[in-house]
């Protein structure tokens, strides 16, 4: 899942970004509305965690722009204002969900995951192929009933492929979906992580390399 965190309080913004990365998400963090719009113009995000009270370009205006542009991104709006009318106003702007500060981080993660499942195309809560099962919420992967110890990047690669079984996904697409701005921007990172993932999945192989640098999960 690719997430954009937009929060002007830098300590909170970095904390949210770090926590979501630990949950296996690719996260970019920006501190104002103008920077958020610049990122949104270049990258497709599944979920935008958006502080409503931003300096410069207000969070309301960022939300309005997303709606006007027909973006698929789901918006989780954050605010210190917690009245019913505040929540109604935020949702009326086009936000998909609303969370009042201070919040419990576990609830934030659950809401981001729920919005990610509603992003286009919709992804079921549990993914699988043959004897492989992946539970994104519990961060658990099993093969033939045996639990696999995957790194966050290995888990995310497998999740991307399982979400589109039989479809060829390019190294560039995987790089965009799994890695964020803080990571190695080269497709060699995909190749090295894919090699480790295949070893951990074992035999028979289920991830196949396709000519021109793509990957597919399914029959060879």
């Amino acid at each position: 899942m690719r997430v954009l965190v937009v929060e002007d309080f830098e300590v909170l913004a970095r904390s949210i970004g770090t926590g979501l990365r630990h949950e296996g998400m690719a996260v970019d963090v920006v501190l104002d509305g103008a920077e958020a719009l610049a990122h949104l113009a270049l990258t497709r995000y599944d979920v935008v965690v958006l502080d409503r009270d931003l300096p410069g370009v207000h969070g309301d205006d960022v939300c309005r722009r997303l709606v006007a542009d027909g973006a698929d991104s789901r918006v989780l709006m954050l605010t210190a204002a917690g009245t019913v009318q505040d929540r109604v106003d935020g949702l009326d702007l086009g936000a998909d969900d609303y969370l009042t500060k201070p919040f419990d981080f576990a609830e934030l993660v659950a809401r981001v995951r729920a919005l990610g499942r509603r992003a286009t195309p919709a992804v079921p809560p549990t993914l699988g192929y043959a004897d492989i099962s992946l539970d994104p919420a519990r961060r658990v992967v099993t093969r033939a009933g045996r639990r696999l110890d995957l790194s966050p990047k290995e888990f995310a690669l497998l999740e991307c492929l399982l979400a589109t079984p039989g479809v060829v996904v390019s190294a560039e697409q995987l790089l965009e979906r799994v890695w964020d701005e803080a990571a190695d921007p080269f497709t060699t990172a995909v190749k090295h992580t894919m090699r480790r993932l295949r070893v951990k999945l074992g035999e028979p192989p289920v991830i196949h390399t396709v000519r021109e640098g793509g990957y597919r999960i399914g029959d060879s």
Side-chain angles (χ1 to χ4, degrees), residues 76-199:
L76 172 58
M77 189 169 279
L78 305 179
T79 183
T83 68
V84 172
Q85 190 58 51
D86 288 320
R87 293 194 293 272
V88 170
D89 290 344
L91 294 171
D92 282 347
L93 287 169
D96 299 278
D97 201 357
Y98 202 98
L99 191 57
T100 304
K101 302 176 184 177
F103 51 81
D104 185 271
F105 185 72
E107 182 179 5
L108 174 69
V109 172
R111 288 174 182 262
V112 169
R113 288 200 185 284
L115 290 177
R117 289 194 295 269
R118 291 166 53 191
T120 304
V123 175
T126 302
L127 302 171
Y129 174 80
D131 58 354
I132 298 172
S133 177
L134 182 148
D135 186 333
R138 295 171 54 226
R139 309 294 299 161
V140 172
V141 175
T142 61
R143 182 162 197 187
R146 178 176 63 89
R147 184 163 177 166
L148 305 181
D149 182 18
L150 303 185
S151 73
K153 295 303 183 192
E154 293 162 358
F155 186 99
L157 280 183
L158 182 60
E159 185 176 9
C160 283
L161 293 173
L162 286 174
T164 54
V167 176
V168 177
V169 184
S170 70
E172 289 76 13
Q173 288 173 314
L174 290 170
L175 190 66
E176 178 183 346
R177 304 306 300 160
V178 176
W179 279 263
D180 54 39
E181 291 179 333
D184 182 352
F186 301 105
T187 53
T188 52
V190 178
K191 185 182 296 184
H192 295 324
T193 306
M194 188 67 72
R195 183 181 301 120
R196 294 194 300 270
L197 174 60
R198 282 169 159 158
V199 170

Side-chain angles (χ1 to χ4, degrees), residues 50-63:
L50 177 64
D51 180 31
R52 188 173 185 185
D53 301 309
L54 292 171
V57 179
H58 197 272
D60 289 359
D61 295 323
V62 175
C63 190

